[in-house]
């Protein structure tokens, strides 16, 4: 039986289109959430992932089936990139029984398969480290991936977790999404020293990347996870990224000019879109817009508690 040779150009195109589609799904979902929040359809609060889509898609594309993800208050992008259902997420934000957690978790507290999120700033670090330790004791090859924001580095429990992870050689990947602003406080008046050296002081190797390019993030993550699967040691990955939206729903103190300039130069979807033919990009845009509209409508039409 003859095997058709792999078309590397076709493989590359498929990957690029996949990345573009996944990031656009997150973008349009989050824009819909922000647009509808003031209508009272969604309960509690919400923290959108606008501008940081390349991080979730680039990182989580490399996971094995049994790997574990622990997210934070800004969890929607991570959940969707992990493979979570969009309609169920809309319904969860609406507090409906058809939601991811039957409407009880809301925006910040999700659980599906090996995905967990918690809204307590920095409080996810000991949770994720404990999960990773349990997998180590069970002698599995599972890696736990923890997403932190730069603001969480002001929490002491994070450093207690780093200490334990290093001492016991726990296979956890700490990912810091450094969007350079903790709620409304810029990083230069909030965080002393270098983030990478904070991990280094605990003997945890760290790689830092300043990019909004999903392909670059994906490549670095693949390399790090490969090394971790061999060494079973903790590792840190720092992504210097850009948050386009407010911290939550409207508390943005940055100037309009700054935001426009940031979006012009650091939009991950625009960057990835340059790798895709225009007609295909339009088709993907229409498909994703239809998916988001349908998911929202179905969630809205589902029964209330």
């Amino acid at each position: 039986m003859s095997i058709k040779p792999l078309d590397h150009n076709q493989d590359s195109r498929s990957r690029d289109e996949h990345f573009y589609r996944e990031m656009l799904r997150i973008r349009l979902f989050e824009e819909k959430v922000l647009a509808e929040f003031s209508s009272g359809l969604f309960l509690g609060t919400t923290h959108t992932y606008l501008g940081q889509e390349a991080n979730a898609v680039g990182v989580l594309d490399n996971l094995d089936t049994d790997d574990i993800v622990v997210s934070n208050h800004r969890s929607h992008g991570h959940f969707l990139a992990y493979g979570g259902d969009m309609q169920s997420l809309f319904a969860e934000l609406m507090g409906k029984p058809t939601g991811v957690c039957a409407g009880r978790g809301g925006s910040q507290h999700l659980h599906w398969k090996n995905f967990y999120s918690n809204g307590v700033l920095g409080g996810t670090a000991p949770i994720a480290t404990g999960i990773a330790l349990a997998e180590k004791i069970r002698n599995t090859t599972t890696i736990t991936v923890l997403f932190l924001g730069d603001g969480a580095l002001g929490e002491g429990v994070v450093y207690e977790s780093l200490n334990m992870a290093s001492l016991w050689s726990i296979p956890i990947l700490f990912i810091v999404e450094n969007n350079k602003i903790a709620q409304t406080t810029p990083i230069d008046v909030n965080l002393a020293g270098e983030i990478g050296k904070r991990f280094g002081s605990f003997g945890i190797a760290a790689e830092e990347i300043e990019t909004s390019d999903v392909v670059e993030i994906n490549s670095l993550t693949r390399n790090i996870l490969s090394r971790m699967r061999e060494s079973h040691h903790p590792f840190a990955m720092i992504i210097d990224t850009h948050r386009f939206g407010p911290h939550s729903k409207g508390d943005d103190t940055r100037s309009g000019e700054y935001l426009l300039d940031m979006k012009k130069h650091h939009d991950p979807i625009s960057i990835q879109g340059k790798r895709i033919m225009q007609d295909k990009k339009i088709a993907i845009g229409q498909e994703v817009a239809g998916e988001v509209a349908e998911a929202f409508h179905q969630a809205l039409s589902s029964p209330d508690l």
Side-chain angles (χ1 to χ4, degrees):
M1 182 180 69
S2 62
I3 299 175
K4 183 180 180 181
L6 177 66
D7 183 342
H8 291 285
N9 290 329
Q10 179 63 41
D11 186 60
S12 177
R13 286 197 296 272
S14 297
R15 180 202 63 176
D16 286 339
E17 290 171 8
H18 168 71
F19 285 162
Y20 183 80
R21 182 187 303 274
E22 291 305 300
M23 290 194 295
L24 190 60
R25 290 178 75 247
I26 296 169
R27 175 67 59 85
L28 297 189
F29 176 90
E30 296 288 52
E31 289 180 344
K32 184 66 172 177
V33 169
L34 274 186
E36 297 288 346
F37 206 93
S38 61
S39 68
L41 290 175
F42 300 121
L43 306 179
T45 187
T46 192
H47 305 79
T48 64
Y49 202 61
L50 298 169
Q52 299 181 200
E53 297 90 350
N55 306 342
V57 173
V59 168
L60 300 184
D61 177 73
N62 290 289
L63 296 192
D64 287 348
T65 303
D66 292 334
D67 288 339
I68 296 166
V69 178
V70 179
S71 180
N72 52 16
H73 59 285
R74 205 173 299 282
S75 60
H76 306 163
H78 302 147
F79 177 81
L80 293 173
Y82 179 76
D85 180 68
M86 187 180 292
Q87 178 186 333
S88 296
L89 185 54
F90 270 133
E92 185 64 32
L93 270 62
M94 295 174 185
K96 299 204 171 192
T98 52
V100 182
C101 298
R104 296 181 175 89
S107 174
Q108 302 178 72
H109 302 95
L110 304 173
H111 171 230
W112 180 70
K113 292 187 176 181
N114 283 346
F115 182 94
Y116 307 86
S117 70
N118 189 294
V120 179
L121 185 67
T124 51
I127 294 172
T129 304
I131 290 172
L133 175 60
E135 293 299 323
K136 177 184 175 71
I137 292 171
R138 292 176 58 214
N139 199 32
T140 72
T141 59
T142 297
I143 290 177
T144 299
V145 176
L146 169 66
F147 286 96
L148 296 165
D150 51 289
L153 297 178
E155 298 295 327
V157 72
V158 172
Y159 302 99
E160 296 176 34
S161 301
L162 297 183
N163 186 56
M164 292 300 185
S166 182
L167 278 175
W168 295 341
S169 192
I170 298 174
I172 177 172
L173 174 57
F174 297 94
I175 296 181
V176 178
E177 297 185 85
N178 178 20
N179 57 33
K180 307 174 188 67
I181 185 166
Q183 191 161 336
T184 58
T185 305
I187 194 169
D188 58 348
V189 295
N190 174 55
L191 203 66
E194 299 175 25
I195 294 176
K197 289 183 178 179
R198 293 186 175 215
F199 289 95
S201 66
F202 290 93
I204 298 176
E207 294 272 359
E208 184 166 4
I209 186 169
E210 184 173 357
T211 186
S212 294
D213 188 331
V214 65
V215 174
E216 293 180 2
I217 293 170
N218 182 259
S219 177
L220 178 59
T221 309
R222 187 183 313 116
N223 178 271
I224 290 172
L225 288 176
S226 177
R227 291 154 64 184
M228 288 184 69
R229 294 191 198 282
E230 292 181 4
S231 69
H232 306 291
H233 294 325
F235 209 98
M237 179 176 172
I238 303 151
I239 306 174
D240 293 322
T241 188
H242 301 271
R243 190 188 82 204
F244 289 178
H247 168 67
S248 54
K249 301 175 294 300
D251 50 350
D252 204 332
T253 57
R254 298 170 296 179
S255 71
E257 182 180 3
Y258 174 83
L259 292 173
L260 286 173
D261 185 72
M262 180 172 58
K263 293 174 183 179
K264 178 180 178 180
H265 294 101
H266 301 288
D267 187 344
I269 294 175
S270 296
I271 292 170
Q272 184 64 9
K274 294 175 182 178
R275 298 186 173 107
I276 302 172
M277 298 294 291
Q278 183 65 17
D279 59 341
K280 188 63 178 179
K281 191 161 55 173
I282 292 172
I284 291 173
Q286 292 173 340
E287 291 170 10
V288 173
E291 179 190 2
V292 173
E294 178 66 15
F296 177 80
H297 174 72
Q298 290 184 0
L300 189 61
S301 302
S302 65
D304 293 321
L305 287 172

